[in-house]
Amino acid sequence: MRYTIDDRGFYGNFGGAYIPEMLHANIEELQQRYVGIIEDPKFQKEFHDLLKDYVGRPSPLYFAKRLSEKYGSRLYLKREDLNHTGAHKINNTIGQILLARRLGKTRIIAETGAGQHGVATATVCALMGMECIVYMGEVDIERQKPNVFRMKMLGAEVRPARSGSKTLKDATNEAIRDWINHPVETHYIIGSVVGPHPYPDMVARFQSVVSHELMIQMEEKEGRNYPDRIIACVGGGSNAAGAYYHYLDDERVRLVAVEAAGEGIHSGRSAATSVLGTEGIIHGSRTLLMQTKDGQITEPHSISAGLDYPGIGPMHAHLIRTGRAEVVSITDQESVEAAMELSRLEGIIPALESAHALAALKYLTLDSDETTVISLSGRGDKDLATFMKYLDDE
Amino acid sequence: MILKDRQSPALNIYFTAGFPELEDTVPVIRALSESGVDLIEIGMPYSDPMADGPTIQQSSARALKNGMSMEVLFDQVAQISEKVSTPLILMGYLNQMIQYGEERFLKRCRETGISGLIIPDLPPELYKMQYQEMFRNHQVEIIFLITPQTSEKRIRTIDELSDSFIYVVSDSSITGKSTEISKEQIAYFQRIQKMKLRNPTLIGFGISDHQSFSQAAEYSSGAIIGSAFIKRLDKEYGEKGIDEVVTKFVNEIKHGA
Ligand SMILES: Cc1ncc(COP(=O)(O)O)c(C=O)c1O
């Protein structure tokens, strides 16, 4: 079984580029040039220098002692929360901004849910002196206010998406429409492993720095370069793709994808795509998505803005459908509890998205001598308002 | 051939099925046909129409709220198609066709009198690989879009792949942006005209009044109007009957009065 893309841009049945003609020239240019640009040694040097000196990589692999005691197993946290701007998203935006420059683009657009990708995009645009416009659903602007201010402070324009559920899906639609209207000078920095080929593969390659580091760090700490299990939350799936990447073909490593069940998988307010979804097309990619029988895309719900998306990236659809990855669904309530637990056991306040990955621990059978890496994709500063509400109720 | 050989410029009007009210699909088609429109493009309302601007997004959302579905739409089309001679085509997104089942979808098009499909997110390469045979078997035409960025070579490929007409997107844009036709656009229209394609061309996106329609028609077989018609329908609906709104709009576009 093959878990990376084929030469047509598909992961098994999933992926491809289902785009209107208005985007053909842009997508074709990306398809033809992205590998060459990324593999150029000069690009690699610039990319890795920035990851080291600007982002602060490698991110630590931290052995979580008290958490491990609680679950009776060996648990490591991959600390993407310690990156500059507070999440894994910046690994991708650094890569894409360097690529955009090589393509001669001068204007950057992005979509954002939790605001982490928006902030990471605004940051690299400030760094490179490029114009930056970020689309964000009105609902998310409300629940992730600190990130809206950060983007503005970084010089980006935040444009509200007012259609549909006013969340990540709608922000993505607006970004695509913007790109259709400004195809020549604009590069669209997609924030996850979603969208038309080559985005899923391109974003996965930029995020793969995470599993590359994991191999070195596991060797140092455990004397072998792989863990028994990797747990990561999946919105579109970029932090998961990054943490899995170098282990995709290594069947010794069990892959666990954690989805947002919202108020419960069958509550009608959920984002558990792998359970509720069927095959179809969303944002230019053939994948699993939540939809009606008539093919209308369903409005998802999750407490976590970064997981509040009705699809998953085509790579994950393939990993799940082939059984390579197993899925755990976590409710809003469970994610907040897991965030509280990590805060009090380890002194680390995780993002609500990452808290979903932590909450999966209680559903897994963990042996005492097994090692598990949990992708701590981001820090919880942006979610303080949500946590405060919960603490008040407590 | 959907567009017959003709002297005067062809006018293709787009509207969203089930808008303003669910049961308006049939009367709108009838009125358009009676007012002498040459081609009617029926929009299949979609939750996430990525190539469409605010007007069509809103009309689609409203139609869905009204209860529009593929089944209802096909039933409505079946009621009227035999009573009008104007060719009917559908415009929608690939996911709608996939969920309905592609074969079943095309069969239903054929049965209900739909002669062609515009599926903006179905690129010609994927059409050729996965769908060309199916379309042929069911005798449904495909209509492709070209834009100012589409290369000459690609336009030729598209011209070979279809047997209906080519939808010339007037500018790099989503639907509904109406501005005056620029020099660059005219140069682009002329470039296409000089290519002497097998298929007729219709210019669309941003065509909104008599002037832009006539201008577009100088360089093509005609033009397509969508958002401007929907806006008018929305504005005057209720005050005037559908027939009156439609007749007046079509006359204005064709004759400027
Ligand atoms: C901290 C964090 N983790 C995870 C995600 C989900 O994205 P992905 O599934 O692409 O990693 C987000 C998205 O905003 C995020 O901010």
Side-chain angles (χ1 to χ4, degrees):
Chain A
M1 188 59 69
R2 171 186 177 140
Y3 301 110
T4 46
I5 51 161
D6 65 23
D7 49 15
R8 296 165 25 233
F10 280 84
Y11 300 87
N13 290 329
F14 303 107
Y18 296 86
I19 46 152
E21 185 61 26
M22 291 81 99
L23 291 178
H24 174 80
N26 284 25
I27 292 295
E28 187 181 44
E29 182 183 34
L30 278 176
Q31 288 174 351
Q32 288 174 350
R33 296 191 56 194
Y34 83 108
V35 173
I37 290 176
I38 294 175
E39 289 182 351
D40 175 11
K42 275 218 216 98
F43 179 97
Q44 281 294 320
K45 178 160 182 351
E46 209 178 335
F47 179 53
H48 286 287
D49 284 353
L50 280 171
L51 288 182
K52 177 164 171 280
D53 299 331
Y54 188 71
V55 176
R57 301 205 73 91
S59 69
L61 181 66
Y62 166 68
F63 179 70
K65 187 157 173 288
R66 296 188 65 206
L67 191 70
S68 296
E69 279 165 11
K70 162 124 204 238
Y71 288 94
S73 189
R74 302 182 61 74
L75 305 179
Y76 286 91
L77 304 178
K78 181 61 174 160
R79 299 290 307 274
E80 294 300 299
D81 61 315
L82 293 178
N83 292 340
H84 179 42
T85 72
H88 68 293
K89 297 284 182 188
I90 196 154
N91 304 327
N92 169 44
T93 60
I94 297 262
Q96 285 205 49
I97 198 89
L98 294 176
L99 183 116
R101 279 213 310 201
R102 279 164 175 75
L103 295 173
K105 303 287 180 176
T106 54
R107 178 177 179 270
I108 297 296
I109 55 170
E111 84 297 337
T112 197
Q116 287 304 116
H117 174 60
V119 168
T121 305
T123 298
V124 298
C125 286
L127 182 66
M128 301 291 167
M130 288 220 229
E131 184 187 354
C132 180
I133 292 152
V134 180
Y135 290 90
M136 187 170 189
E138 245 175 7
V139 168
D140 294 337
I141 288 181
E142 203 44 52
R143 61 179 162 173
Q144 308 278 218
K145 275 225 176 90
N147 275 343
V148 177
F149 292 125
R150 289 165 82 197
M151 285 185 267
K152 288 185 178 163
M153 186 155 176
L154 292 161
E157 181 189 339
V158 180
R159 291 192 187 162
R162 300 200 166 94
S163 56
S165 52
K166 305 180 177 62
T167 59
L168 183 53
K169 155 178 94 79
D170 313 287
T172 308
N173 288 336
E174 284 312 317
I176 293 174
R177 290 181 187 122
D178 179 308
W179 209 21
I180 289 175
N181 284 332
H182 306 94
V184 179
E185 72 285 11
T186 301
H187 175 67
Y188 176 18
I189 300 191
I190 293 186
S192 192
V193 286
V194 300
H197 171 61
Y199 277 103
D201 185 52
M202 181 165 76
V203 176
R205 283 174 188 242
F206 290 140
Q207 290 293 358
S208 72
V209 63
V210 174
S211 62
H212 178 74
E213 288 172 5
L214 275 178
M215 295 184 81
I216 299 166
Q217 292 167 325
M218 283 304 300
E219 183 71 50
E220 278 170 16
K221 297 197 189 277
E222 293 281 331
R224 58 170 217 203
N225 70 359
Y226 65 95
D228 295 301
R229 183 185 293 102
I230 299 172
I231 308 177
C233 68
V234 174
S238 66
N239 85 90
Y244 298 165
Y245 199 85
H246 287 85
Y247 299 113
L248 284 170
D249 295 319
D250 185 346
E251 306 268 352
R252 296 172 302 184
V253 182
R254 271 167 280 165
L255 307 178
V256 181
V258 184
E259 287 187 338
E263 294 175 5
I265 291 183
H266 300 290
S267 64
R269 286 174 56 76
S270 172
T273 306
S274 78
V275 184
L276 301 170
T278 50
E279 282 186 35
I281 288 166
I282 182 169
H283 298 137
S285 175
R286 189 176 177 106
T287 186
L288 295 173
L289 63 136
M290 288 164 42
Q291 56 184 328
T292 66
K293 265 207 218 117
D294 232 26
Q296 308 291 344
I297 300 177
T298 315
E299 292 175 5
H301 164 80
S302 167
I303 192 172
S304 134
L307 305 182
D308 199 350
Y309 183 71
I312 49 173
M315 175 206 251
H316 296 290
H318 183 56
L319 290 173
I320 290 168
R321 280 294 160 94
T322 55
R324 175 70 184 97
E326 93 182 82
V327 181
V328 177
S329 310
I330 294 298
T331 63
D332 291 349
Q333 176 73 20
E334 289 171 321
S335 74
V336 177
E337 284 164 10
M340 292 299 160
E341 179 177 88
L342 190 74
S343 303
R344 288 166 189 185
L345 282 178
E346 297 288 349
I348 298 170
I349 300 176
L352 270 170
E353 291 78 15
S354 324
H356 282 73
L358 292 160
L361 286 170
K362 66 178 185 207
Y363 291 113
L364 299 168
T365 318
L366 308 166
D367 287 344
S368 59
D369 58 350
E370 275 179 350
T371 55
T372 295
V373 171
I374 300 139
S375 171
L376 200 70
S377 55
R379 67 177 87 128
D381 307 28
K382 69 184 176 60
D383 298 311
L384 287 183
T386 311
F387 292 142
M388 272 189 293
K389 230 190 266 160
Y390 178 84
L391 277 177
D392 284 349
D393 295 347
E394 204 184 60
Chain B
M1 275 272 152
I2 291 174
L3 282 178
K4 295 170 198 83
D5 270 345
R6 42 179 309 106
Q7 298 300 312
S8 60
L11 173 60
N12 174 0
I13 298 265
Y14 166 97
F15 79 101
T16 306
F19 175 85
E21 297 299 333
L22 184 64
E23 298 303 333
D24 288 334
T25 313
V26 170
V28 169
I29 293 175
R30 185 184 298 117
L32 283 169
S33 177
E34 282 169 4
S35 62
V37 160
D38 302 283
L39 187 61
I40 300 172
E41 184 182 331
I42 306 164
M44 300 155 30
Y46 190 49
S47 57
D48 294 74
M50 72 163 137
D52 288 301
T55 304
I56 295 178
Q57 286 171 44
Q58 282 153 21
S59 63
S60 300
R62 177 126 152 233
L64 290 173
K65 244 197 181 146
N66 290 342
M68 184 45 78
S69 67
M70 280 323 302
E71 224 39 89
V72 171
L73 174 53
F74 279 128
D75 287 345
Q76 290 177 339
V77 173
Q79 280 174 44
I80 184 78
S81 61
E82 286 196 352
K83 300 183 189 125
V84 296
S85 58
T86 319
L88 304 177
I89 60 180
L90 285 183
M91 136 100 203
Y93 289 82
L94 183 58
N95 197 46
Q96 297 175 284
M97 190 167 128
I98 291 178
Q99 299 318 314
Y100 197 86
E102 291 97 326
E103 286 276 1
R104 186 170 155 240
F105 189 94
L106 292 170
K107 186 161 168 274
R108 204 74 185 105
C109 284
R110 183 73 191 158
E111 284 167 6
T112 56
I114 296 290
S115 35
L117 289 177
I118 303 178
I119 314 276
D121 59 344
L122 174 58
E125 298 78 10
L126 288 163
Y127 167 78
K128 194 170 172 187
M129 213 161 67
Q130 295 176 15
Y131 296 117
Q132 188 170 25
E133 284 246 332
M134 232 188 263
F135 274 66
R136 286 212 175 127
N137 292 342
H138 293 282
Q139 293 172 291
V140 176
E141 303 285 356
I142 182 93
I143 294 117
F144 290 113
L145 276 54
I146 62 173
T147 80
Q149 265 88 47
T150 312
S151 70
E152 184 154 326
K153 183 164 165 245
R154 191 171 166 79
I155 295 175
R156 294 272 175 224
T157 311
I158 286 171
D159 194 32
E160 283 304 313
L161 263 187
S162 62
D163 257 316
S164 47
F165 66 89
I166 289 176
Y167 194 138
V168 179
V169 176
S170 65
D171 194 0
S172 305
S173 78
I174 52 174
T175 55
K177 280 211 302 191
S178 63
T179 43
E180 269 172 45
I181 293 181
S182 68
K183 272 202 203 106
E184 292 78 41
Q185 282 174 287
I186 294 198
Y188 156 60
F189 298 155
Q190 284 171 332
R191 173 162 65 85
I192 306 300
Q193 199 177 22
K194 283 206 193 98
M195 287 182 73
K196 303 218 176 305
L197 301 172
R198 296 167 53 232
N199 287 288
T201 54
L202 293 185
I203 294 176
F205 284 41
I207 309 297
S208 59
D209 52 18
H210 175 64
Q211 199 196 338
S212 47
F213 173 70
S214 323
Q215 230 179 334
E218 279 177 46
Y219 308 100
S220 65
S221 312
I224 306 170
I225 297 183
S227 298
F229 175 65
I230 290 175
K231 274 188 203 150
R232 177 70 67 83
L233 197 56
D234 194 25
K235 185 158 160 259
E236 296 189 347
Y237 189 79
E239 288 167 35
K240 297 180 188 143
I242 286 178
D243 285 345
E244 192 185 343
V245 180
V246 169
T247 312
K248 188 159 155 274
F249 184 83
V250 172
N251 273 332
E252 274 176 36
I253 297 297
K254 286 196 158 175
H255 312 294

